Amino acid sequence: MKKKYGFMLAVAVLLAGCGQKKETSVITARPVKTTIVESRSIIRKDFSGIVEAVEYVKLAFRVSGQIINLPVIEGEKVKKGQLIAAIDPRDIALQYAATKSAYETAAAQVERNKRLLSRQAISVQEYEISLANYQKAKSEYELSVNNMRDTKLTAPFDGSIEKRLVENYQRVNSGEGIVQLVNTHNLRIKFTIPDAYLYLLRTKDPRFLVEFDTFKGHVFQAKLDISTDGTGIPVSITIDDPSFDRDLYAVKPGFTCSIRFTADVGPLVQDSWTIIPLSAVFGESEGKKMYVWVVEDNKVHKREVTVNAPTGEAQVLISKGLKPEEKIVIAGVYQLVEGE
């Protein structure tokens, strides 16, 4: 029995071993998209801007009255000295005539008293009283002259009527706005640069190219005007391109445009700084460290990098961790594992 049991056990083990399939492990290579790290300093970034006037004014009368002439319309171009509006001058004309008469009478009285004083026919006090009356009459007359002149409102500079604030035959008060006039020959373009791109404004001779949405295909050079700190950096540029003919390109405040900002950050960075696609950089949920996959001998190795700032065009500036000519993965970075 013992021999028979031992024989059957041996046969069972042999059959069980033959019934198992042989397991094999196959290592597959994952295809990835890569690029070679470059060291370059020219950075380009696109922004959207809006045209605004540098010089604009809300014109108003210095006197009150009823408007009897308002010949301008919104959007109309006007020349310096051109009539904008006029108010009814009749009441002011009456005041002007009265003050003029009083002024002429006081002036004649002063001349008579001067002759009388020379002959000692009147006292010095009487002469001084007539002189004071003359000065008062002169001031009132000059004020009425100004009021007569102020019944007509003229353009202080060449520009365009941006908005009419009142209507013809309407009664207005002194200082009430009549029209808003803008100088269309002195314009600037305003846009906002995020804080991350602030370092680009410190570059030497930054370049700006402007293309207005209304005049597609026509690109003009512009220069940096002013910038101020804040949440985002409000920046103003002015077009200094000789080909920007204002008669041909009737750009007005409120027009929108696209701006291509080009800067050479070479003088600001070290030789080891590089620019790589933003898609190559990834982080981990537990920290703020940033990494890239470096390809060596067809295997990927995670390496920590220092991201200085975005550069535009979906790229970032790397100040530490990479060297030129190294190969990195730029797509599918979250599906890879160390050594794959």
Side-chain angles (χ1 to χ4, degrees), residues 17 31 40 71 87 119 124-125 133 145 160 167 180 205 221-222 242 244-245 250 259 278 282 312 314 339:
R40 64 182 180 90
I87 62 175
R119 297 196 298 268
V124 175
Q125 184 179 8
N133 291 334
V145 170
S160 176
E167 295 300 328
Q180 178 136 322
D205 298 327
Q221 295 182 3
F244 186 53
D245 186 345
I259 303 163
L278 180 61
F282 64 96

Side-chain angles (χ1 to χ4, degrees), residues 246-283:
R246 294 309 311 279
D247 294 329
L248 183 60
Y249 305 101
V251 176
K252 298 180 180 179
F255 278 30
T256 55
C257 61
S258 58
I259 303 163
R260 167 57 62 91
F261 179 24
T262 304
D264 184 359
V265 298
L268 301 180
V269 302
Q270 302 175 7
D271 294 338
S272 59
W273 290 28
T274 56
I275 295 176
I276 64 173
L278 180 61
S279 60
V281 182
F282 64 96

Side-chain angles (χ1 to χ4, degrees), residues 23-36:
E23 296 183 357
T24 59
S25 58
V26 179
I27 300 176
T28 59
R30 183 189 299 273
V32 294
K33 188 177 181 180
T34 64
T35 189
I36 301 299

